[in-house]
């Protein structure tokens, strides 16, 4: 690995290298974590535009030719929304630099500052003690959000927006808090639902029962999410756990 690749990979901020064909040439650990991917194999060689934001926040398609990032020769900081592997929208502040004699683009990004500012205001409102570090206070707020998830996940209508409203935060702020740990509120809600469903299945409950009791309405969506997380169909859980 050359020096540039080592610097990019180990940098403490999300960095993303796009080649002249619009493909991801390199992504560091922070970028992979922020976007919720598992490792290099998930992104390197893939189309950068699709991996970052194949759609707009309102769900409409985002054509690559309208993307200000791919093919950029360098830009000042700007605001954009990226889409995580779990499908969540995360507002970011980004900038690019041309590298390798113009044959590649180095993208750097971070959570959008306005979302960060609201988190700070909420921490102050909740009266975090003077001896509590900002990082610890943010962790406590995140734990509070997780507790809300653990008590409301069985409601099929419970979403990131509902979670944010319960905490008196914006959706952006809640997403930014979870992004610090490499996940998202929607992914956490899904994880808790799937863990609960697996526990019910292990006790001998029917697949349909486990599906509905865990906050899923569509059996097909449940089965696909379950297989993606645990590597087996819901109907295989009792036998595999008893083996």
């Amino acid at each position: 690995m050359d020096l540039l690749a080592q610097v990019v990979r180990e940098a403490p901020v999300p960095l993303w290298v796009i080649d002249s064909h619009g493909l991801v040439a390199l992504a560091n650990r922070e970028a992979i974590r922020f976007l919720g991917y598992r490792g290099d194999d998930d992104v390197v060689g893939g189309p950068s535009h699709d991996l970052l934001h194949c759609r707009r926040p309102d769900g409409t398609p985002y054509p690559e030719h309208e993307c200000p990032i791919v093919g950029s020769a360098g830009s000042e900081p700007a605001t954009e929304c990226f889409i995580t592997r779990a499908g969540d929208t995360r507002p970011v502040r980004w900038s690019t630099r041309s590298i390798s004699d113009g044959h590649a683009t180095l993208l750097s990004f971070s959570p959008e500052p306005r979302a960060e500012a609201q988190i700070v205001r909420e921490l102050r409102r909740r009266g975090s003690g003077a001896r509590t570090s900002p990082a610890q206070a943010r962790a406590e707020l995140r734990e509070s959000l997780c507790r809300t998830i653990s008590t409301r996940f069985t409601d099929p209508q419970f979403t990131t927006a509902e979670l944010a409203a319960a905490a008196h935060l914006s959706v952006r702020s809640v997403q930014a808090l979870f992004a610090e740990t490499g996940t998202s509120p929607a992914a956490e809600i899904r994880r808790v639902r799937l863990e609960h469903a697996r526990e019910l299945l292990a006790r001998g409950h029917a697949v349909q029962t486990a599906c509905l009791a865990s906050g899923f309405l569509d059996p097909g969506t449940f089965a696909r999410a379950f297989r993606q997380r645990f590597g087996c169909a819901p109907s295989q859980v009792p036998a595999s756990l008893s083996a």
Side-chain angles (χ1 to χ4, degrees):
M1 183 183 298
D2 61 30
L3 180 59
L4 173 60
Q6 291 183 48
V7 170
V8 170
R9 192 177 300 278
E10 300 301 328
V13 297
L15 295 175
W16 187 272
V17 178
I18 308 167
D19 68 17
S20 59
H21 301 289
L23 305 178
V24 180
L26 186 66
N28 73 350
R29 293 189 179 93
E30 284 301 307
I32 291 170
R33 181 185 64 81
F34 182 89
L35 293 169
Y37 288 98
R38 294 166 295 185
D40 291 3
D41 291 343
D42 285 344
V43 298
V44 173
S48 177
H49 176 72
D50 290 348
L51 288 166
L52 293 176
H53 44 198
C54 60
R55 59 176 172 80
R56 301 184 190 279
D58 63 3
T60 58
Y62 192 166
E64 183 175 343
H65 69 269
E66 296 181 10
C67 177
I69 295 175
V70 174
S72 171
S75 71
E76 295 301 317
T79 300
E80 189 75 22
C81 284
F82 289 171
I83 309 297
T84 69
R85 179 173 179 266
D88 301 310
T89 301
R90 291 187 181 170
V92 300
R93 191 77 168 164
W94 64 272
S95 63
T96 59
R97 292 291 181 271
S98 178
I99 59 175
S100 189
D101 296 326
H103 295 294
T105 300
L106 175 63
L107 166 70
S108 63
F109 55 91
S110 60
E112 205 275 330
R114 283 178 294 179
E116 298 294 292
Q118 191 187 19
I119 293 172
V120 172
R121 289 195 298 271
E122 178 62 16
L123 291 174
R124 289 173 177 170
R125 187 185 72 80
R126 297 189 180 202
S128 296
R131 295 184 180 182
T132 302
S133 69
Q136 182 179 350
R138 291 162 72 87
E140 291 175 358
L141 182 52
R142 191 163 46 245
E143 289 173 5
S144 175
L145 292 170
C146 288
R147 286 194 295 271
T148 300
I149 291 173
S150 69
T151 60
R152 297 184 58 182
F153 72 90
T154 56
D155 178 3
Q157 304 304 318
F158 182 63
T159 63
T160 298
E162 293 290 328
L163 176 64
H168 306 290
L169 289 168
S170 70
V171 170
R172 288 183 176 184
S173 298
V174 172
Q175 290 171 334
L177 274 168
F178 279 88
E180 293 180 357
T181 59
T183 186
S184 69
E188 183 63 15
I189 293 170
R190 187 182 304 111
R191 182 192 68 78
V192 173
R193 283 174 172 163
L194 290 171
E195 292 284 356
H196 182 66
R198 185 171 67 163
E199 182 178 343
L200 292 177
L201 291 168
R203 294 180 193 166
H205 289 279
V207 172
Q208 182 78 357
T209 300
C211 169
L212 297 176
S214 301
F216 290 93
L217 289 176
D218 176 44
T221 299
F222 168 62
R224 287 190 295 272
F226 195 95
R227 183 180 290 276
Q228 182 179 28
R229 178 163 184 83
F230 299 117
C232 65
S235 59
Q236 297 174 315
V237 168
S240 64
L241 289 184
S242 62

